Amino acid sequence: MSKSAFVLYILIAVHLQESLTFNAQTVSTQSTEGQCGGYCFNALKPMLDHIAANQQRWSTCDATLLESTARQDRMESQLAALKDKLSSIEAGKEVPKVNKLENFVQIGSRFFYIEELREVNWFSGTNICRQMGGFLASPRNEEELIAIKEKLRKGRQYWLGISDLAKEGTFVSQATGDLAPLQKWSPSQPDNHGNNEHCVHLQYENFWMNDLPCTYKNYFLCEAGDG
């Protein structure tokens, strides 16, 4: 059967349904044949039977589709409500301000933090000071170092923000990236013992500077960042 003939049959079937206002499940073979004629009825009967047989299934499918659409609408409405709630929470959330000088003490003209509870390696000390808004400390002059030493506990050692990790023998300040402004070394130091001493700390004897392996654990000093 050609496509145009099939379309014609469909149109005839629709016309018959509207003009006779029949129910596809109860229409009688005799009344349809009388309205359409034998040949027309024989041609349309398979389609009418198909409509009658599937009408219930189509009705069920329509109901399911409507239910799915309604469910999707409800989900979209709930999602929109959640987005609005999240936006409200984010808008009302206060971002805590970090007080960079919290727990820092003023020594001379600058602020320092002295860790007295934890012993960590040089890299961990670096990370902790950065989280506090500063750096491992690099004393700028001997007067400042003397003032710092007065705050330290005897018998303890403290990491400074000085190392020659980039170039052996060139001790750089972590805070500035320049040569450490003060290098007050203990006698015979630095010696890079075992070719593995690249981080600087204050020794417990006199709190002068000494090089150590960066993985050793010591207390540490932070200086507040300029920002």
Side-chain angles (χ1 to χ4, degrees), residues 1-13 44 47 50:
M1 179 185 295
S2 67
K3 184 181 296 184
S4 59
F6 179 76
V7 172
L8 177 60
Y9 286 145
I10 292 296
L11 292 175
I12 293 172
L44 293 177
M47 284 184 285
H50 178 74

Side-chain angles (χ1 to χ4, degrees), residues 3 13 22 44 46 62 66 97 120 142-143 152 159 172 198:
K3 184 181 296 184
F22 70 91
L44 293 177
D62 289 341
L66 289 174
K97 294 182 179 180
V120 299
E142 191 163 355
E143 180 182 5
L152 304 182
W159 284 123
V172 173
H198 302 293

Side-chain angles (χ1 to χ4, degrees), residues 5 21 26 33 43 62 86 89 104 109 117 122 144 155 165 184 191 201-202 226:
T21 62
T26 60
E33 185 175 6
D62 289 341
L86 179 60
I89 292 174
F104 282 69
S109 62
L117 298 178
W122 190 85
E144 188 173 73
L165 286 166
K184 184 72 173 181
D191 61 356
H201 73 120
L202 295 177
D226 294 335

Side-chain angles (χ1 to χ4, degrees), residues 174-194:
Q174 183 184 94
T176 65
D178 298 326
L179 287 176
L182 177 67
Q183 298 185 36
K184 184 72 173 181
W185 297 102
S186 294
S188 303
Q189 300 300 327
D191 61 356
N192 190 27
H193 181 71

